[in-house]
Amino acid sequence: MSQINSLEQEIISAIRESENEIIDLIRDLVSHPSLLGYEKSGQDFMEDQFLKLGLEVDRFEIDNDALCKVKGYSPPVGEWKNHENVVGKFRSKKQIGKSLILNGHIDVVPVGSEELWSSHPFSPVVRNGRIYGRGSGDMKAGIAAYLVAYRAIKNLGYVPAADVILQSVVEEECTGNGALACLHRGYTADAAIIPEPFNETIMSAQVGVMWLQIEVTGKPAHVLNDTSGINAIESAFQIWQHLKTLATDWNDPVRRHPAFAKTKNPIKFNLGKIQGGEWASSLPTKCQMDIRCGFFPDEEPDSVRTAIENHLARSIKTDPRLEGVYYKISYAGFQSPGCVVDTTSQPIQTLASAHHDVLGKDVELFASAATTDVRTFEIYGKIPATCYGPEATNIHAIDESVSIESSLKVASVLAIFIARWCQLEKVIT
């Protein structure tokens, strides 16, 4: 039986009437091409949204010199100006309920080949109940959902009876340093929710992720004398084939972390970027591969790096095709451990109850083979946290889209969670 009370029903009804608002918010957000290092216009928009909600705004740059000393830091993959987080703060006078962080990342991944998109990736299109565009699902619809949830409560004349902190962060897609910088700045709460596009499920666990770069040096030669040289690009692919066998070993059910017992091949290795060579008629001297490796929550990055390095050293030593090849491994980007969410904790149970009462069904749990900023809250902030967001398709791919209906559902669940977790107080005017 539904446990929705009259005020909660008013909140849900207000959100259901906000369909045009959430569509406009998602479209506006997508129209800001907030690629890594180019987040300024998107964060300008978020600052304006927070101010319109009456929130106190804190906007600050990522200070790598300070942050590099903080546990959980990952080496960045570039340097940028105007690379800022934006935080909107509501401070309750009564502090009756429990405090909450609603976190979302403004950065999006590259669009790939733009000509493959059915429409321009940063000119969002509404079609068949979905919004298409880069970042629509991952994760600007989630940001729109928490904005609509908070605004619905405010428009009904209520405010949370506990502190609520809305965060729009950078670098989620490459290091997680944006969320870590918020934590380092002192932003904590009794719970945190990130509305990542996980199809209205509660995330129960996530893998660790490591980015590494392998530079391979061969021996240049004219193609006429190819037997006297070593092709660095071909050697790089052979090294990649050796590295992939480590993922196969880690995915063995015998070695699998129990949180991923029902997940098929949760450990993913990906060769995401490659560059090398100097001339079509010369054997290439160098080749660099940028690689993403997943690993289970019970492993630390230091031990994963050691395992990777030892595995490659053994494999290359016994491969005659790689004789004379020199390689160097470096690490930039994610150096991020996995984590397991305590789904029996009070905030997760409150979220599950809100989902059930709003949508009329039990929530499903989801163990993610990707990483999110949840680890920052869980591991380094000791803050119970999870992901709960809308249904999306083709994230990181062509024609990314998000469901409008699902975004409204998520906004409703988040609003009811705020009402129950933070509690509400009537604004006296």
Side-chain angles (χ1 to χ4, degrees):
M1 178 178 293
S2 173
Q3 300 298 311
I4 297 291
N5 62 37
S6 59
L7 174 57
E8 291 174 346
Q9 188 56 60
E10 284 187 65
I11 294 170
I12 294 169
S13 297
I15 291 173
R16 297 305 309 181
E17 294 170 3
S18 301
E19 180 172 344
N20 289 337
E21 178 188 347
I22 204 167
I23 290 172
D24 289 344
L25 273 172
I26 297 170
R27 293 180 66 180
D28 286 344
L29 282 162
V30 171
S31 69
H32 293 279
S34 49
L35 297 158
L36 181 62
Y38 297 91
E39 306 93 349
K40 182 181 183 303
S41 67
Q43 293 295 57
D44 289 345
F45 180 83
M46 288 304 300
E47 180 176 10
D48 184 58
Q49 291 300 308
F50 290 159
L51 289 172
K52 287 178 178 177
L53 289 174
L55 303 175
E56 178 187 343
V57 173
D58 180 20
R59 185 165 180 167
F60 58 96
E61 294 226 22
I62 306 300
D63 184 349
N64 282 292
D65 290 338
L67 207 60
C68 68
K69 304 177 180 68
V70 176
K71 191 170 183 181
Y73 176 78
S74 291
V77 292
E79 295 183 7
W80 309 273
K81 295 180 180 179
N82 299 314
H83 189 60
E84 300 168 320
N85 288 333
V86 179
V87 176
K89 301 177 286 183
F90 172 77
R91 300 298 188 189
S92 172
K93 295 178 181 179
K94 292 192 174 181
Q95 300 290 344
I96 296 171
K98 296 182 175 64
S99 59
L100 174 64
I101 292 171
L102 292 168
N103 169 283
H105 64 87
I106 199 71
D107 55 313
V108 299
V109 299
V111 301
S113 298
E114 188 177 312
E115 67 271 15
L116 297 179
W117 286 71
S118 60
S119 58
H120 191 281
F122 295 117
S123 298
V125 172
V126 178
R127 187 169 64 246
N128 299 324
R130 308 187 70 83
I131 300 176
Y132 289 79
R134 171 58 83 230
S136 56
D138 189 14
M139 61 162 288
K140 291 178 175 178
I143 291 174
Y146 77 51
L147 289 172
V148 167
Y150 190 91
R151 184 172 290 127
I153 291 169
K154 183 174 184 291
N155 287 347
L156 288 171
Y158 290 85
V159 293
D163 292 350
V164 174
I165 301 166
L166 307 185
Q167 299 178 346
S168 177
V169 302
V170 298
E171 282 198 49
E172 190 274 349
E173 296 284 8
C174 59
T175 63
N177 289 342
L180 188 67
C182 285
L183 183 67
H184 181 59
R185 201 168 177 86
Y187 290 113
T188 63
D190 296 314
I193 299 176
I194 306 177
E196 289 276 11
F198 291 162
N199 196 17
E200 302 159 26
T201 62
I202 288 177
M203 193 185 75
S204 58
Q206 64 183 42
V207 299
V209 168
M210 178 172 293
W211 281 12
L212 59 126
Q213 299 75 42
I214 303 179
E215 183 184 76
V216 180
T217 303
K219 183 179 179 183
H222 191 290
V223 68
L224 181 68
N225 303 310
D226 61 342
T227 57
S228 67
I230 299 173
N231 188 310
I233 294 176
E234 292 180 357
S235 298
F237 276 105
Q238 290 161 3
I239 291 173
W240 165 239
Q241 293 301 320
H242 285 301
L243 182 58
K244 285 199 298 184
T245 65
L246 189 59
T248 301
D249 292 344
W250 289 353
N251 275 316
D252 188 320
V254 175
R255 300 185 59 175
R256 190 168 300 182
H257 189 283
F260 295 87
K262 298 180 180 179
T263 306
K264 184 178 180 181
N265 296 329
I267 299 304
K268 316 284 187 181
F269 282 18
N270 183 62
L271 174 53
K273 183 179 176 182
I274 188 164
Q275 54 187 353
E278 302 87 26
W279 196 251
S281 293
S282 301
L283 270 66
T285 309
K286 289 185 181 294
C287 178
Q288 178 170 305
M289 300 181 288
D290 285 45
I291 295 170
R292 179 268 200 200
C293 297
F295 55 96
F296 285 123
D298 54 1
E299 300 176 63
E300 290 297 322
D302 282 346
S303 64
V304 173
R305 286 189 285 267
T306 298
I308 288 171
E309 291 167 10
N310 289 344
H311 175 82
L312 283 180
R314 289 191 301 268
S315 301
I316 292 170
K317 185 177 181 180
T318 58
D319 187 344
R321 298 171 300 174
L322 295 172
E323 184 177 352
V325 172
Y326 174 78
Y327 69 98
K328 179 174 66 175
I329 304 177
S330 56
Y331 301 92
F334 288 119
Q335 306 295 307
S336 305
C339 65
V340 176
V341 174
D342 179 5
T343 56
T344 67
S345 67
Q346 188 180 0
I348 304 304
Q349 288 297 301
T350 302
L351 179 60
S353 175
H355 170 97
H356 176 273
D357 293 347
V358 172
L359 303 186
K361 59 182 180 181
D362 291 339
V363 71
E364 295 182 9
L365 300 179
F366 171 65
S368 174
T371 190
T372 76
D373 281 335
V374 160
R375 70 182 174 281
T376 296
F377 301 108
E378 281 276 340
I379 299 174
Y380 308 114
K382 306 303 179 185
I383 301 168
T386 192
C387 292
Y388 179 88
E391 180 270 322
T393 59
N394 297 334
I395 62 172
H396 290 221
I398 304 300
D399 280 351
E400 177 180 354
S401 75
V402 68
S403 163
I404 297 167
E405 175 65 19
S406 182
S407 300
L408 285 167
K409 289 178 179 178
V410 167
S412 297
V413 172
L414 292 178
I416 299 309
F417 178 84
I418 293 170
R420 295 177 179 181
W421 181 253
C422 306
Q423 300 187 46
L424 301 179
E425 58 175 302
K426 186 71 174 176
V427 177
I428 307 298
T429 57

